[in-house]
Amino acid sequence: MPVQEGIYGLLAEFDTPTELVIAAQASYQAGYRRMDCYTPYPVEEAAEAMGFDEPAEKGVSRVCLLGGILGGLAMFTLESWISIWAYPLNIAGRGKWSWPAFVVPAYEWTILWAGLSAGFGMLALNRLPAPYHPLFNAPNFRNGATSDKFFLCLEAHDPKFSIAETRALLESFNPVSVVEVEH
Amino acid sequence: MVTPGISPQEPRRVTGADGMIDPVTGEQRVIAPGHTFRSVTEKLSRIVLTPHTPVGWFLGLGLAGSVAILLLVAVTWLFLKGTGIWGITIPVAWGFAIINFVWWIGIGHAGTLISAILLLFKQKWRNSINRFAEAMTLFAVVCAAMYPVIHTGRPWLAIYWLFPYPNTMNYWPQFRSPLMWDVFAVSTYATISVVFWYIGMIPDLGTMRDRAKSKFARFVYGNMALGWRGSTRHWMRYETASLLLAGLATPLVLSVHTVISFDFAVAIMPGWHTTIFPPYFVAGAIYSGFAMVLTLAIPIRKFYHLEDLITLRHLDNCGKVMLATGFIVAYGYSTDIAYAWYSADKWEFFMAWNRIFGPMGWSYWILIVSNILIPLTTLWSRKLRQNVVFLFILSLIVNTGMWFERFVIVVVSLTRDYLPGSWGTYKATRWDYMTFIGTLGLFTFLFFLFIRLLPMIPMSEIRQILPGAKINEAELQQRGGH
């Protein structure tokens, strides 16, 4: 990523989730799209307010489904290959490809890879781990975003963004503070 | 498991003046009133970030660590001498190692039940206890997984027949054996439990990073938090991932003890070869696991003054789950006997008689008394379910009883099978006891480390159930302008 300089966005701080949702809704209606809310616990209404619909995005679920199918198939194929070609054994006279016995490990691997894909897929879609983020430069962000404050950030690369107008819009929601976030 | 809602018109249930009944909805609260986002954050992060570690913690850690050294000694001697130092013989080739394996992994199951199944059922009371119940799962799986591995005697040689990997002998595992299925069930269970636990902790690690004063703590928690900043987009994907993991962990946890029961049920031993084993094993696992949750939760809430977050309602609910699963276990015991009678098979019949009245019959009566007679008569009473001292003692009794259940299944069945000429007996040696007590020490040691170094109650999930988290719809309508 090229080194970015200048302002990342304007960050408004609120005391309650309701105020945050109102502000997010109004900003969305005013035409802002490049924005995000930061909350100490998941606030679904905030996602709705800024038009982010995770179920419609389907990222995590698709990765999870794909991982599960691949994991199950991989184990079942491995077991079949071992039992038919690589190391055939006669166990109590059963056929070489006695597949019902192979279902259990394949089932476990379906869950294993679906779970790993869901977990790591979620992190990847969220672009985490990300040790650095401009928001951590804001003086009040780390004091509240993971504890008891609610933040709305309107980002500078939104076409509608202009420091004076955006600040005026954010001020109209009666936030605790509005600060500029530097890169 | 749900405490039914009471409408405001009905007479309120009186549970004392502790304010645990919400005056508006009439429902029993999950956590004590009066908490705010900040108070929850401070109370829970202070336990970890305090510079003053309680003396009791050092004492506990030291004691548990000394007990864990027994395990180290016993396993070292085992590797030097071989499994001959244990009490296992022919016919009882599965002794303490398998009893302890099944017992430990069963204990782990309650953690997954609380974190996954109760999440799917939207049981909000789970939020206070899920993190440390999951930690309990992890540490129990660590103890459990060790047993089959050291039971192989030389685990460094066992790896080629346990895991399918290309080796110089061109050897591959035998997938028609339930013991192989076990390898995959337990390793998957351990992995998914770690992932679920860690992902659940990321937001709280962010809180720890932001609140830590020391540079070292900030660095460590900062790295562990992976740069979590509470973005709403992140949260939504995170919630989907949590739900998916819960949906995956639910069939997983049921399959793990099912597969473990296959280790027994697929064999043709009298007393093992029954179809009731999978559900009966799963219920027994949850029964003993909830007992262990109580064993851990009761001292912790006392010691760290968490009575307002782990309330009597939590203990009450754990008691109810134990009551329900205890009855399934009791049904399993009676089915065992009914099956022996109905099979008209004299070997099965003799097995049942031998279990109850044979030379090791005392173990059967211990399990009947401690798993059925004591808990299933007392847990009906709300008073007793909310009596902390009683519950603590009961949880120890049930844990003992569940250990003896596995003793009866593993050892007593093996001592006397078909041919009287091949009968034998079993006597555990000091190394067996040392290994078992050592894992109790290891489990406690790991748990002490966990409650000191990581947030044991998920702050982000507690915040969700606080009254302040409710969006004010009226204000939203009015000021939002639609």
Side-chain angles (χ1 to χ4, degrees):
Chain A
M1 200 190 279
V3 179
Q4 288 176 315
E5 283 179 10
I7 185 166
Y8 171 78
L10 279 169
L11 183 71
E13 175 184 332
F14 299 95
D15 275 333
T16 68
T18 311
E19 288 173 297
L20 171 79
V21 173
I22 290 167
Q25 226 167 38
S27 310
Y28 188 82
Q29 278 160 7
Y32 288 91
R33 291 296 176 268
R34 307 301 303 243
M35 60 167 162
D36 209 341
C37 301
Y38 299 88
T39 53
Y41 60 91
V43 180
E44 276 172 38
E45 290 83 353
E48 275 166 37
M50 52 184 212
F52 179 66
D53 191 2
E54 204 284 327
E57 189 194 63
K58 285 194 185 125
V60 181
S61 347
R62 277 193 190 141
V63 172
C64 174
L65 177 70
L66 191 69
I69 291 173
L70 288 180
L73 279 180
M75 185 42 95
F76 195 81
T77 316
L78 178 70
E79 289 174 295
S80 304
W81 174 74
I82 287 173
S83 308
I84 299 170
W85 289 287
Y87 207 76
L89 289 168
N90 183 344
I91 304 294
R94 293 183 187 91
K96 280 183 188 169
W97 194 56
S98 50
W99 64 268
F102 305 161
V103 169
V104 180
Y107 172 88
E108 302 295 346
W109 260 43
T110 309
I111 292 179
L112 176 70
W113 289 100
L116 289 175
S117 314
F120 288 100
M122 179 274 288
L123 291 178
L125 285 166
N126 284 344
R127 307 276 186 277
L128 293 176
Y132 174 77
H133 194 271
L135 278 170
F136 293 129
N137 296 334
N140 52 348
F141 185 74
R142 293 184 51 165
N143 201 16
T146 54
S147 168
D148 61 341
K149 296 289 192 218
F150 300 82
F151 292 90
L152 171 66
C153 184
L154 297 181
E155 292 161 23
H157 52 228
D158 191 287
K160 264 191 82 77
F161 187 88
S162 88
I163 292 200
E165 279 173 36
T166 308
R167 181 180 275 277
L169 176 76
L170 285 174
E171 295 282 6
S172 71
F173 307 126
N174 297 324
V176 180
S177 69
V178 177
V179 294
E180 286 177 21
V181 182
E182 305 274 333
H183 265 293
Chain B
M1 282 179 274
V2 190
T3 308
I6 308 166
S7 66
Q9 291 81 23
E10 286 175 46
R12 305 263 163 76
R13 197 183 315 167
V14 182
T15 52
D18 56 355
M20 284 304 288
I21 302 282
D22 191 320
V24 181
T25 59
E27 284 175 18
Q28 195 174 11
R29 292 181 208 266
V30 175
I31 58 174
H35 267 301
T36 62
F37 297 132
R38 181 148 286 259
S39 71
V40 166
T41 311
E42 290 201 338
K43 178 160 190 167
L44 293 174
S45 58
R46 204 170 44 216
I47 295 174
V48 176
L49 296 173
T50 173
H52 307 289
T53 311
V55 181
W57 182 83
F58 282 112
L59 288 177
L61 186 80
L63 188 71
S66 339
V67 177
I69 289 174
L70 286 180
L71 176 71
L72 218 60
V73 173
V75 169
T76 310
W77 194 238
L78 174 81
F79 286 168
L80 289 172
K81 289 301 229 183
T83 47
I85 64 166
W86 286 352
I88 47 175
T89 57
I90 297 299
V92 189
W94 280 8
F96 264 37
I98 302 300
I99 302 170
N100 297 338
F101 165 64
V102 180
W103 187 74
W104 273 120
I105 210 136
I107 282 171
H109 279 25
T112 318
L113 182 100
I114 290 170
S115 57
I117 300 183
L118 296 187
L119 176 72
L120 296 181
F121 285 145
K122 302 198 170 171
Q123 295 292 307
K124 291 225 159 112
W125 60 276
R126 68 177 263 294
N127 289 14
S128 303
I129 53 172
N130 70 357
R131 172 82 42 78
F132 80 77
E134 278 172 50
M136 176 191 85
T137 297
L138 285 183
F139 305 147
V141 171
V142 166
C143 294
M146 200 184 309
Y147 280 107
V149 173
I150 60 175
H151 198 277
T152 61
R154 288 181 287 178
W156 53 95
L157 295 181
I159 186 157
Y160 66 82
W161 50 264
L162 289 177
F163 288 101
Y165 74 101
N167 53 54
T168 48
M169 292 168 286
N170 254 341
Y171 178 87
W172 292 93
Q174 200 279 89
F175 279 103
R176 297 175 189 94
S177 161
L179 301 180
M180 269 318 289
W181 304 346
D182 235 15
V183 172
F184 288 94
V186 174
S187 59
T188 300
Y189 186 47
T191 315
I192 293 295
S193 300
V194 171
V195 170
F196 200 11
W197 183 65
Y198 190 79
I199 291 215
M201 212 154 45
I202 290 175
D204 280 2
L205 289 168
T207 309
M208 305 310 276
R209 169 199 65 204
D210 292 348
R211 297 188 63 80
K213 297 275 185 295
S214 89
K215 243 186 162 169
F216 177 71
R218 230 182 279 170
F219 176 78
V220 173
Y221 291 123
N223 276 312
M224 288 174 79
L226 309 176
W228 183 260
R229 50 185 188 274
S231 150
T232 296
R233 286 168 219 273
H234 291 188
W235 270 122
M236 293 303 120
R237 295 192 190 105
Y238 176 93
E239 290 283 277
T240 308
S242 301
L243 267 181
L244 286 170
L245 279 168
L248 291 163
T250 303
L252 175 64
V253 70
L254 299 179
S255 82
V256 171
H257 235 62
T258 300
V259 170
I260 288 173
S261 80
F262 285 164
D263 292 345
F264 299 92
V266 170
I268 52 163
M269 280 294 297
W272 284 8
H273 195 57
T274 54
T275 45
I276 189 71
F277 260 34
Y280 156 49
F281 264 54
V282 172
I286 293 165
Y287 188 41
S288 64
F290 267 87
M292 190 56 106
V293 167
L294 287 175
T295 314
L296 295 171
I298 290 172
I300 285 178
R301 75 196 275 276
K302 177 92 190 137
F303 191 71
Y304 283 104
H305 308 293
L306 295 169
E307 285 96 342
D308 49 348
L309 294 173
I310 304 173
T311 60
L312 286 180
R313 180 168 168 196
H314 292 103
L315 306 184
D316 188 51
N317 282 350
C318 290
K320 285 179 187 163
V321 175
M322 281 174 68
L323 186 63
T325 47
F327 268 98
I328 305 178
V329 170
Y331 173 75
Y333 296 158
S334 48
T335 307
D336 261 347
I337 296 172
Y339 179 80
W341 169 73
Y342 189 71
S343 68
D345 176 308
K346 65 179 170 188
W347 314 112
E348 288 286 344
F349 189 82
F350 176 75
M351 179 280 305
W353 180 88
N354 184 45
R355 261 185 196 179
I356 304 169
F357 304 110
M360 288 186 176
W362 49 269
S363 57
Y364 188 79
W365 293 105
I366 291 179
L367 86 90
I368 292 291
V369 169
S370 46
N371 283 350
I372 296 181
L373 283 185
I374 301 175
L376 299 189
T377 47
T378 50
L379 278 173
W380 290 100
S381 150
R382 174 188 288 269
K383 266 214 174 102
L384 286 173
R385 280 202 311 270
Q386 299 197 343
N387 181 330
V388 177
V389 178
F390 171 79
L391 271 185
F392 185 70
I393 296 170
L394 184 79
S395 70
L396 296 177
I397 293 176
V398 170
N399 274 324
T400 316
M402 288 306 294
W403 191 88
F404 275 98
E405 180 199 300
R406 279 67 180 247
F407 180 86
V408 167
I409 291 172
V410 174
V411 168
V412 181
S413 309
L414 283 174
T415 49
R416 296 179 156 191
D417 59 357
Y418 298 99
L419 276 181
S422 69
W423 287 1
T425 187
Y426 177 78
K427 194 170 185 316
T429 63
R430 76 179 77 162
W431 302 105
D432 285 307
Y433 288 108
M434 271 170 77
T435 318
F436 177 51
I437 295 167
T439 46
L440 289 173
L442 176 68
F443 176 80
T444 322
F445 181 78
L446 292 172
F447 211 83
F448 267 105
L449 285 181
F450 160 70
I451 55 176
R452 181 67 188 85
L453 297 176
L454 293 167
M456 67 176 130
I457 294 185
M459 293 179 264
S460 62
E461 292 181 38
I462 294 285
R463 290 186 199 115
Q464 289 177 57
I465 54 176
L466 289 177
K470 279 216 173 76
I471 298 281
N472 186 338
E473 290 294 334
E475 199 184 340
L476 198 64
Q477 294 286 327
Q478 188 198 345
R479 283 182 53 194
H482 12 213

